Amino acid sequence: MDLDSKKIYDLGQPYYIGMPHFPTHPPYLFTLTRLHGDFVLDNGASSSSDAITFGGHVGTHIDALSHFSCDGKMHGRDAFSQSYAGGVGEHSVDSIAPIFRRGVLFDIARLEGVAALPRDFVVTPQHLEACQVEPAEGGIALIRTGWAQFWSDSKRYLTGGQGAVPCGPGPAEPAARWLSARKIFAAGSDTVAFERTPSSMEVHVHLIVESGIHIIECLNLEELARDEVKHFTFIALPLKFRGGTGSPIRPVAIVE
């Protein structure tokens, strides 16, 4: 691959104290544990270090297939093991191989002629078809709502600036079924929950539990949209959290 002839887009959001996170997940916490000058070597050298704590579903991340179950069953399994200390024994995030797949962008905000979709907007199969892109089997399908622009305003990103319950645009189950019919590997978006919220997480159940399709959330798709990119190579590496239900990723899109 001749990287000199390609453009790389960073699709990850930055981590910072006070960043948006779904209320059921722990927040991002950061502190320096050593300042420069706390310990100085004989030659004058000094180092600084830090400690970081956050949930596996905080920031730009991928959901493992162990993230959701329904009626006591995970994807393809009638039984599974789990413990607070050991995590989930089946479909854990460390089983996800490095991701190097073809991707497409469904720019629904551009389709609707707005900078960002309204908080109650439902993405339908008709919207997906109108974008005139077709995800490859085993590929990545990303949906842009425009809400990545609100990342620095936690309340607006999580609720549209109204109330305390997460609320935002995204696909409902019919659009999720349109995607699953294409047998994709993962679907993602620039919102905190991927699907239209509030909801009973029907989209998560259909994609993860029923279809074995991963979900990627909190993406930054603004630069792809600015350059009107529709097709790209998607690369991301989940961390190997044994027993984990999700992992932060640093995704990139590579375009000719």
Side-chain angles (χ1 to χ4, degrees), residues 67-147:
H67 181 40
F68 261 77
S69 66
C70 190
D71 296 327
K73 298 179 181 180
M74 286 199 313
H75 174 67
R77 304 193 67 89
D78 292 334
F80 55 90
S81 59
Q82 60 179 342
S83 68
Y84 287 111
V88 182
E90 294 75 30
H91 292 319
S92 62
V93 75
D94 59 320
S95 66
I96 303 176
I99 302 167
F100 189 97
R101 295 172 181 265
R102 287 180 289 172
V104 295
L105 177 65
F106 294 91
D107 193 345
I108 308 300
R110 180 182 294 275
L111 180 71
E112 292 295 299
V114 296
L117 297 176
R119 66 198 294 263
D120 58 352
F121 190 93
V122 177
V123 176
T124 67
Q126 290 73 30
H127 292 123
L128 298 177
E129 290 171 356
C131 288
Q132 297 183 329
V133 293
E134 184 74 15
E137 182 173 336
I140 309 292
L142 304 183
I143 295 175
R144 176 179 175 261
T145 70
W147 277 45

Side-chain angles (χ1 to χ4, degrees), residues 17 20 27 85 103 120 150 176 181 187 205 207 219 247 252:
I17 296 295
D120 58 352
F150 309 146
V205 169
L207 291 179
L219 289 157
S247 168
V252 297

